[in-house]
Amino acid sequence: MSPDESPGFLLWRLTLRWQRAITAVLTPLDLTHVQFVLLASTWWLNGQGQRPNQLSVARHAETDVKMTSQVLRKLEEKGLLVREVDPADTRARLLRLTERGQQLAERAVATVEKADAGFFASIPDGTSMITALRRTVQ
């Protein structure tokens, strides 16, 4: 099988190109890709009326728990979120975006969605692609 016939190799190449495109639009916002994912996950969960802890954000984003904790600390240092001790479990930290964090999350999500739309515009049936991707990750 040639590399152009290997779904895994094609996905690898596509992923690298997509990551470069997303990095390019996030750099002016002073966010790394993983910072964006965790900020957006926290923003989304807060928007659903939840007060997530670090573990629930890691599960939502499917990221490593220790790495998630480190990145969330960095986002806190940037003034984008607040990590507060959970009164029900003093080992856990509840997450809440600051006003600045919420504004940046909304701007970053819109920016990434626009970049995604441009990046995937050449795919003729985006709905089928989304359905296939959703089925694959479940």
Side-chain angles (χ1 to χ4, degrees), residues 31-51:
L31 289 172
T32 66
H33 199 160
V34 73
Q35 287 173 346
F36 163 73
V37 168
L38 297 176
L39 183 72
S41 290
T42 304
W43 170 76
W44 190 85
L45 291 167
N46 282 171
Q48 300 301 303
Q50 296 180 39
R51 201 63 205 285

Side-chain angles (χ1 to χ4, degrees), residues 25-68:
V25 299
L26 289 174
T27 297
L29 301 177
D30 192 31
L31 289 172
T32 66
H33 199 160
V34 73
Q35 287 173 346
F36 163 73
V37 168
L38 297 176
L39 183 72
S41 290
T42 304
W43 170 76
W44 190 85
L45 291 167
N46 282 171
Q48 300 301 303
Q50 296 180 39
R51 201 63 205 285
N53 61 27
Q54 294 175 167
L55 181 59
S56 59
V57 169
R59 285 182 179 151
H60 180 263
E62 295 192 22
T63 53
D64 176 77
V65 176
K66 287 184 180 183
M67 181 272 301
T68 298

Side-chain angles (χ1 to χ4, degrees), residues 92-137:
R93 298 290 179 266
L94 298 175
L95 305 171
R96 176 181 50 82
L97 293 185
T98 62
E99 182 66 31
R100 185 169 157 242
Q102 184 166 334
Q103 290 172 357
L104 181 59
E106 291 171 4
R107 184 174 166 207
V109 166
T111 299
V112 167
E113 286 177 350
K114 183 177 178 184
D116 276 352
F119 186 85
F120 294 108
S122 66
I123 296 175
D125 186 2
T127 303
S128 292
M129 179 192 72
I130 295 293
T131 300
L133 290 172
R134 191 177 294 125
R135 219 181 358 235
T136 302
V137 300

